[in-house]
Amino acid sequence: MASKTKQPLKSGTTGNAKKRKSTGPADGDASAKKKQPRLDSFFAPRVELSATCGTDKKTHVAQLSDEQNAVLRMVLDDEKSVFFTGSAGTGKSLLLRAIISSLRKKYAKKPDAVAVTASTGMAASNVGGMTIHSWGAVTPSNSDVDAQIRCIRFAKPALQRWKNTKVLIIDEVSMVDGHLFDTLEAIATKLRKKTDKPFGGLQLVVTGDFFQLPPVCKGEPFFAFESNSWTKCIEHTINLTQVFRQKDNKFVDLLNEMRYGSISPATAQAFKALARPIPPPPASMPNIQPTELFPMRHEVTNANQARLRALPHRTYIFQAHDTFPQANKSASSARRSSSSSSSSTSSPASSTATASPTSSSTSATSVASSSKSSALGSRQNAQTDQAKRRQEGLLAGVLAEKTLELKKGAQVMLVKNIDEMLVNGCVGKVVGFATYREVITARNELARAELGSAVHADSVVTPKVEKGKVSKEKEKDVKTEKAREGEGKSDVKEENDKKSKAAKLVVKSTGVIRKVRVDPGGALITVSTVKENLDPSSSSPRTTSPASAAASSISAPAKPCSPPSTSTTSHPSERDEERFPLVEFPTPQGGREAVLVLRDEFRVEDASDAGRLLARRVQVPLVLAWAMSIHKAQGQTIQRVRVDLGRVFEKGQSYVALSRAAAVEGLQVLNFDARRVVAHPKVVRWSKGLVQAGAKGGTGAVGVAGAATAVSGAATAVGAGEEAEEVRM
Ligand SMILES: Nc1ncnc2c1ncn2[C@@H]1O[C@H](COP(=O)(O)OP(=O)(O)OP(=O)(O)O)[C@@H](O)[C@H]1O
């Protein structure tokens, strides 16, 4: 059973904007009666669970709770502008995914109607959207509305977005600056020419928890709820109360005291007692260490690097492939200089550096110090440096590293959502390195062996290296990658190829390959070590006689995962095929699954120029995960986590960090100091005001709870669960 939080902010809604014309009825029971019920409104949608990375052993599908479902209906059927909040783990993100999915279905014929945005790039990538300022093509620090509008008019796509959007979704609103919220509202009203309606008639779906991280600013934060337009734009504030992340009521209560920054001596004692080491990980993945959360980025780097250095294996370096389509001439020359010096192994076909084993010393590359620069003189050097700094600044918020160093045995975290099991936040372990082709070949070998003579030659895919044509293919891959379910595009292509009997396979460098079979040492499991089977130039698929396949023993692949001695002397085919990390992740069934993690795309869009692509990083979507920053951890559920609060500097930081833990058993807290646990007084005051508003209005908690009960009651009566709509992400 999920527990209820004990908090001053009561469950329910506060009705704010009475002026706004609503297409749906008023709140509560009355609204339920008045509205002609649609069939799907009787069923609580089910949502794919995510961010647990296989830790929920029972199911991957969640049924929305009554209160979550009531919000969904309010958004979908009543078309209300809502702000739903709640303490950490109350299912805001999950509900938001359900809302996005349902809205997209509702507006299937108008794809521009639903805009998904968030306060930060990281939060935006979690919901598959853009930052709010990119979406609106606004400069966050500029409050000159007319100047902003002039710029937007020049940027057609942004103008279209402002005009065509019907529902604007804003996630992690606690980090949206209040001035920016006012600016957006003023722009919407002017551009959409609906001056009588808040936000120019846009329906707002806003979520976040103001007790978590505040807007990034120097000095005192100005929260979105303090903005002039907040009250008139947000018709209903709903506080979700059911905590899903943690099942233990006592732990929820401890976290709740922390949320409000008022720690009793008993609670302080309880947190101090959590300094003890946490129990070992599941038997299937015994070497996974608890993820350490630190407030400062350099602490994270130090902790990760120390662990990596301690591993006895060779280092593989993945250099990001960064491009800057909008960069000016001098910036692009800096980029050329940067890419030419960034890797000793970059191939002309793909300026992406091939992952190559190397010692840390040989990997250290100096971008600025090319021989060219010395010839061109110091002025050009300075320009290059400036351009390079600008480019680096653009990509500073991207989760994927510029240079990712990995070794066998490294603990890593996915920083992209791949499918419903492999989501941002999943922690696993690198067990080896292999190329795409090796993995597919190994899989074919196994398929042949397992199916024996039943397998016709045409049904086995023969890898074919396609040289010199990488970028377009890659771009297509990364764009469609997210839309796929299950395995990566590679496998979809494989399937298509099987069907068409073309038996051709382009070697991929983006996506993932799931369910790779590896032996305990991390080597690919195949049934043959015959060298010619791996020859990329082989034009016809090889047939394996059942007898020979059966006779083959499970062994390491012909081209073993162990890397060649130096990248520069490697075989030509190896230069064209990057070795990617094979990562084992825990599965929902309590086992583990090896996945080949290829590259993925991370985009930076221009806030002041219609969200046009400004920078793009193509990199393996992994980061070292022995340690991570509290900032990066916001929004995630982590099963085993160690938090050092010694250097917490931001209000809400301690709460965000500790509330990532799914259970008190999986949480270790170091340097707990009750004086450092501070909630922002403005947030505390505001939340108290909400309770009063709810009590005065009378439509608050009672209204929504009533509606929710009515819906769920009906669902139960007709057999909820049997036909419940399933909302897939
Ligand atoms: N209705 C539900 N049934 C079962 N599990 C749920 C439900 N809603 C949410 N969860 C699970 O609870 C956990 C926390 O949910 P979620 O991340 O959406 O919370 P949140 O409110 O966004 O948290 P935070 O504010 O910390 O980011 C997730 O593992 C999620 O899958």
Side-chain angles (χ1 to χ4, degrees):
M1 269 296 287
S3 47
K4 297 262 177 188
T5 54
K6 202 178 78 182
Q7 53 199 351
L9 186 55
K10 283 182 189 160
S11 164
T13 65
T14 58
N16 287 336
K18 301 276 179 228
K19 289 174 236 154
R20 192 164 174 192
K21 193 178 162 223
S22 161
T23 53
D27 303 347
D29 290 335
S31 70
K33 276 176 210 150
K34 260 193 262 167
K35 196 161 178 72
Q36 198 71 311
R38 289 205 336 244
L39 188 62
D40 65 351
S41 61
F42 286 112
F43 303 104
R46 298 192 305 159
V47 188
E48 292 297 326
L49 286 180
S50 65
T52 51
C53 198
T55 51
D56 184 337
K57 296 187 183 177
K58 289 180 202 138
T59 174
H60 277 299
V61 179
Q63 185 99 24
L64 289 189
S65 66
D66 288 351
E67 56 183 7
Q68 287 171 323
N69 199 41
V71 179
L72 179 78
R73 304 273 46 115
M74 198 180 268
V75 170
L76 276 188
D77 304 342
D78 304 342
E79 299 185 354
K80 299 282 185 192
S81 280
V82 301
F83 164 55
F84 59 92
T85 184
S87 59
T90 46
K92 298 182 291 298
S93 305
L94 185 127
L95 171 59
L96 189 66
R97 294 206 304 276
I99 289 175
I100 293 169
S101 176
S102 303
L103 282 171
R104 284 195 171 135
K105 274 189 207 161
K106 177 174 171 173
Y107 293 108
K109 290 192 178 143
K110 293 178 192 156
D112 294 352
V114 184
V116 181
T117 76
S119 50
T120 65
M122 213 149 61
S125 91
N126 283 343
V127 283
M130 307 166 88
T131 56
I132 179 68
H133 47 274
S134 294
W135 175 84
V138 296
T139 308
S141 54
N142 185 358
S143 56
D144 182 343
V145 173
D146 290 330
Q148 299 256 25
I149 288 179
R150 278 197 298 278
C151 289
I152 294 167
R153 285 195 195 283
F154 275 111
K156 265 211 165 148
L159 189 63
Q160 293 307 317
R161 282 201 293 271
W162 275 109
K163 292 192 167 167
N164 296 343
T165 300
K166 285 182 179 300
V167 191
L168 175 60
I169 289 164
I170 309 176
D171 193 13
E172 299 288 9
V173 72
S174 70
M175 296 179 77
V176 171
D177 182 87
H179 301 295
L180 174 63
F181 193 84
D182 274 338
T183 305
L184 290 166
E185 203 276 334
I187 292 172
T189 306
K190 281 197 171 181
L191 267 185
R192 294 168 62 90
K193 300 203 172 81
K194 289 178 185 159
T195 43
D196 56 327
K197 295 186 177 174
F199 236 100
L202 269 172
Q203 183 188 359
L204 292 184
V205 177
V206 181
T207 187
D209 176 14
F210 286 108
F211 285 94
Q212 296 187 33
L213 298 181
V216 179
C217 61
K218 286 183 191 136
E220 185 70 356
F222 183 66
F223 292 96
F225 66 77
E226 297 181 86
S227 65
N228 292 330
S229 44
W230 178 265
T231 314
K232 73 173 175 185
C233 294
I234 302 295
E235 292 176 283
H236 296 280
T237 296
I238 303 107
N239 185 45
L240 301 175
T241 57
Q242 196 171 358
V243 177
F244 292 95
R245 183 174 291 132
Q246 295 90 12
K247 314 275 182 228
D248 170 0
N249 281 336
K250 275 193 191 154
F251 185 34
V252 169
D253 289 345
L254 290 182
L255 289 175
N256 220 31
E257 275 193 39
M258 180 166 243
R259 185 171 185 243
Y260 285 91
S262 58
I263 304 275
S264 67
T267 298
Q269 210 43 50
F271 278 123
K272 281 182 184 160
L274 295 181
R276 89 289 177 245
I278 56 181
S284 65
M285 301 216 48
N287 297 323
I288 294 280
Q289 304 296 318
T291 298
E292 286 186 81
L293 298 186
F294 292 101
M296 311 288 286
R297 211 188 301 171
H298 72 266
E299 296 172 302
V300 175
T301 308
N302 292 346
N304 277 330
Q305 287 304 319
R307 301 297 266 279
L308 193 71
R309 274 197 300 276
L311 290 174
H313 308 288
R314 305 182 79 155
T315 307
Y316 282 74
I317 296 189
F318 297 88
Q319 200 70 40
H321 178 203
D322 296 341
T323 45
F324 304 88
Q326 300 296 309
N328 61 26
K329 217 175 164 191
S330 64
S332 69
S333 77
R335 184 175 71 246
R336 276 198 299 278
S337 150
S338 161
S339 67
S340 65
S341 59
S342 63
S343 166
S344 58
T345 60
S346 55
S347 75
S350 147
S351 57
T352 309
T354 304
S356 56
T358 175
S359 69
S360 300
S361 56
T362 56
S363 72
T365 55
S366 166
V367 174
S369 62
S370 70
S371 58
K372 224 191 280 174
S373 63
S374 61
L376 292 173
S378 59
R379 217 183 82 198
Q380 205 167 355
N381 261 351
Q383 277 175 349
T384 306
D385 284 351
Q386 203 185 2
K388 193 175 145 261
R389 271 200 302 277
R390 213 168 31 231
Q391 291 175 348
E392 277 171 1
L394 280 175
L395 288 163
V398 168
L399 273 176
E401 311 278 4
K402 183 176 173 66
T403 304
L404 173 67
E405 289 188 30
L406 295 178
K407 283 181 181 176
K408 186 175 162 187
Q411 184 161 307
V412 289
M413 180 179 284
L414 256 184
V415 291
K416 269 256 169 173
N417 291 327
I418 307 287
D419 56 37
E420 63 271 20
M421 188 197 114
L422 295 172
V423 294
N424 195 350
C426 282
V427 176
K429 202 178 136 199
V430 177
V431 292
F433 294 86
T435 67
Y436 171 81
R437 189 175 55 149
E438 286 170 344
V439 170
I440 295 296
T441 305
R443 179 177 282 190
N444 283 344
E445 298 280 349
L446 273 177
R448 282 192 193 100
E450 282 165 7
L451 296 175
S453 57
V455 180
H456 187 273
D458 285 355
S459 69
V460 178
V461 179
T462 297
K464 179 172 183 284
V465 181
E466 191 164 282
K467 295 176 186 173
K469 192 188 136 193
V470 181
S471 309
K472 284 267 158 60
E473 186 68 41
K474 268 186 201 163
E475 264 177 44
K476 222 169 106 198
D477 287 350
V478 284
K479 277 182 195 150
T480 51
E481 195 61 52
K482 296 290 295 294
R484 267 175 256 136
E485 285 201 6
E487 300 201 348
K489 176 165 182 157
S490 321
D491 301 305
V492 175
K493 174 140 179 64
E494 183 185 345
E495 194 54 43
N496 290 341
D497 283 348
K498 275 185 196 168
K499 279 184 196 144
S500 68
K501 305 219 184 275
K504 291 269 172 5
L505 185 76
V506 175
V507 170
K508 300 289 183 193
S509 58
T510 56
V512 296
I513 307 179
R514 303 246 338 238
K515 296 183 182 148
V516 179
R517 302 263 288 269
V518 293
D519 69 18
L524 293 170
I525 294 178
T526 68
V527 292
S528 170
T529 58
V530 183
K531 193 89 181 164
E532 59 268 24
N533 295 342
L534 296 166
D535 182 358
S537 60
S538 163
S539 56
S540 62
R542 187 183 65 88
T543 46
T544 306
S545 79
S548 68
S552 313
S553 60
I554 304 276
S555 65
K559 193 160 67 167
C561 287
S562 59
S565 54
T566 65
S567 53
T568 44
T569 58
S570 60
H571 186 274
S573 66
E574 286 170 338
R575 272 207 314 269
D576 293 323
E577 292 177 63
E578 196 170 13
R579 284 178 175 273
F580 294 104
L582 274 163
V583 183
E584 272 186 348
F585 291 103
T587 65
Q589 294 73 31
R592 58 190 185 199
E593 179 185 324
V595 178
L596 186 74
V597 185
L598 310 175
R599 289 177 181 260
D600 212 322
E601 184 192 47
F602 298 79
R603 296 163 68 89
V604 177
E605 288 153 353
D606 188 350
S608 59
D609 189 12
R612 201 175 301 161
L613 184 66
L614 204 56
R616 176 173 170 269
R617 171 163 289 174
V618 177
Q619 176 60 298
V620 173
L622 295 171
V623 294
L624 291 175
W626 288 291
M628 75 185 304
S629 69
I630 294 172
H631 205 269
K632 275 191 185 173
Q634 188 172 21
Q636 285 172 357
T637 303
I638 308 179
Q639 297 301 314
R640 299 176 71 249
V641 56
R642 180 183 301 139
V643 185
D644 187 335
L645 295 177
R647 295 202 194 146
V648 161
F649 60 90
E650 189 75 88
K651 295 186 178 65
Q653 243 177 3
S654 308
Y655 173 63
V656 170
L658 270 57
S659 60
R660 299 308 98 202
V664 75
E665 296 75 29
L667 173 66
Q668 185 179 17
V669 184
L670 305 175
N671 295 314
F672 181 84
D673 179 351
R675 287 167 304 179
R676 285 178 177 272
V677 180
V678 188
H680 205 290
K682 288 201 283 193
V683 176
V684 176
R685 269 200 305 279
W686 172 77
S687 74
K688 281 181 183 154
L690 273 186
V691 177
Q692 284 160 11
K696 270 189 222 154
T699 59
V702 180
V704 167
T709 311
V711 172
S712 83
T716 312
V718 293
E722 286 161 31
E723 291 182 69
E725 182 191 356
E726 192 166 293
V727 184
R728 288 192 176 273
M729 299 301 111

